[in-house]
C-alpha cells in the first residue's frame, strides 16, 4: 500500500522536479525524464521510471510517491456525462465532470473543496469552504478519470473559485501547456471566475488560457444579492480590467449568465447587459438555472424566454448562445456540484 504521508510527484513543475532530482543525487536533466514519465507516459509507480537508476528510484521513493488516486465513486448521466468523486481535503471530497460531445471530451475540474464566494444559487457554496486543492489533487483529477487520454479540453468550472487558489491553478496550467509537460495549447483550457481583480490580472498577464466571467446580472444591487463578491469586485471594475486585454485573436473571453424566471430574464436586463459589455470582445453563454426541485424559490425561465433573450443580444451585436445543459440527472450540471457521497 502506498504511504500517503509521502509527497506526490504529480502536480510538480519542472523546477520542483529538479529539486527532487538533486535530493536523489541526479543531474538536473533527470527532472525532464521524471516529467515525461509523470505527464506523458502517466506512470503510477516510481519503479516504472526505468531510465533512472535503481538506486535513484529507491532514493526518490523514500520521500515521494506518484500521487495518482482513483475516484471513490462515479455516476453516469442519461446524456453520457460522467461525474467522479475524489478524496481531497480532510475528508471533504470534490467532484469532477467528464463531458463527451462528438469529437470533444471536456473535463470540468475542481480547484477547491467547497467555496468562499457564497453565491446564493450554487450548491458548492452552500456547503462552505474546506480548503484549497494542491496542484497534485487537481492534476490527479485530470490524470485519473477513466478515458483521461481522450480529453481535448479542460475547464476550471468545478467546485471552488480558481482565482482564489491561483498558485495551484497556475502550476497545473504550466504542466498542461509546457513542452516538458503535456504540451497542450492554452486554447484548450478555460478558467472561470467571479472576477477577483488582483488575481485575474495575474492570470491574464502570465497565461494565454481562455477566461470565463460570471456576471448573472448587469445591475450591481441585484448581482450583490446573487453574488456577495460584487461588493469587493464590482462587475463594472471587472469589465474595465478586461477591456485592457485583446480577446480578438487566439484568446477567448466568455460571459456566463445564469437565467432565473422573473429575476434576470427580461428585456430590461438584456439591454443593460448590452450596455455593460459594449466594446468588449466576448461571447455570452446563457445558462438555464438548475433548480433543486419544485420547492426551490428560484426557477429557470422557459426555453422561449431564453431564446428571445439570446436573439436580442445577437441583434444588438453581442454574440450569444444558449449552453446545452448536461448531466442534470446526476447533479453534474452548472452550479450543482456539492462533493457529497451518494448511493
Amino acid at each position: 500500500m502506498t504511504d500517503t504521508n509521502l509527497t506526490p510527484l504529480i502536480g510538480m513543475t519542472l523546477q520542483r522536479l529538479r529539486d527532487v532530482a538533486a535530493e536523489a543525487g541526479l543531474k538536473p536533466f533527470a527532472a525532464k525524464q521524471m516529467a515525461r514519465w509523470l505527464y506523458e507516459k502517466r506512470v503510477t509507480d516510481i519503479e516504472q521510471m526505468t531510465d533512472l537508476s535503481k538506486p535513484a528510484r529507491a532514493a526518490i521513493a523514500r520521500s515521494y510517491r506518484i500521487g495518482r488516486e482513483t475516484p471513490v465513486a462515479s455516476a453516469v448521466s442519461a446524456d453520457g456525462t460522467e461525474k467522479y468523486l475524489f478524496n481531497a481535503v480532510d475528508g471533504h471530497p470534490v467532484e469532477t465532470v467528464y463531458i463527451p460531445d462528438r469529437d470533444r471530451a471536456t473535463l470540468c475540474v475542481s480547484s477547491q473543496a467547497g467555496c468562499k464566494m457564497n453565491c446564493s444559487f450554487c450548491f458548492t457554496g452552500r456547503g462552505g469552504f474546506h480548503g484549497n486543492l494542491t496542484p497534485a489533487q487537481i492534476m490527479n483529477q485530470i490524470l485519473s478519470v477513466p478515458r483521461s487520454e481522450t480529453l481535448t479540453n479542460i475547464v476550471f468550472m468545478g467546485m471552488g473559485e480558481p482565482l482564489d487558489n491561483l498558485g495551484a491553478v497556475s502550476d497545473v496550467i504550466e504542466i498542461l501547456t509546457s513542452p516538458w509537460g503535456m504540451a497542450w495549447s492554452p486554447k484548450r483550457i478555460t478558467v472561470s471566475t467571479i472576477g477577483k481583480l488582483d488575481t485575474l490580472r495575474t492570470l491574464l498577464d502570465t497565461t494565454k488560457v481562455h477566461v470565463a466571467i460570471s456576471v448573472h446580472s448587469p445591475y450591481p444591487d441585484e448581482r450583490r444579492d446573487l453574488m456577495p463578491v460584487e461588493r469587493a469586485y464590482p462587475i463594472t471594475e471587472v469589465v474595465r480590467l478586461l477591456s485592457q486585454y485583446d480577446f480578438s485573436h487566439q484568446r477567448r473571453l466568455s460571459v456566463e449568465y445564469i437565467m432565473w424566471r422573473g429575476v434576470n430574464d427580461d428585456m430590461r436586463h438584456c439591454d443593460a447587459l448590452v450596455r455593460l459589455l459594449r466594446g468588449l470582445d466576448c461571447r455570452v453563454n446563457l445558462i438555464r438555472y438548475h433548480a433543486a426541485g419544485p420547492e426551490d424559490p428560484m426557477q429557470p425561465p422557459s426555453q422561449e424566454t431564453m431564446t428571445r433573450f439570446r436573439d436580442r443580444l445577437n441583434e444588438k451585436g453581442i454574440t450569444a448562445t444558449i449552453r446545452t445543459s448536461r448531466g442534470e440527472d446526476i447533479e453534474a450540471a452548472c452550479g450543482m456540484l456539492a462533493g457529497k457521497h451518494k448511493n
Side-chain angles (χ1 to χ4, degrees), residues 147-168:
R147 293 187 287 161
S148 169
E149 295 189 23
T150 69
L151 294 175
T152 61
N153 298 84
I154 299 290
V155 293
F156 286 87
M157 294 183 181
M159 299 174 66
E161 163 55 51
L163 297 193
D164 197 38
N165 188 19
L166 183 59

Side-chain angles (χ1 to χ4, degrees), residues 131-145:
N132 286 328
L133 300 191
T134 64
Q137 289 167 329
I138 299 174
M139 280 304 304
N140 184 58
Q141 296 170 66
I142 296 168
L143 295 172
S144 296
V145 293

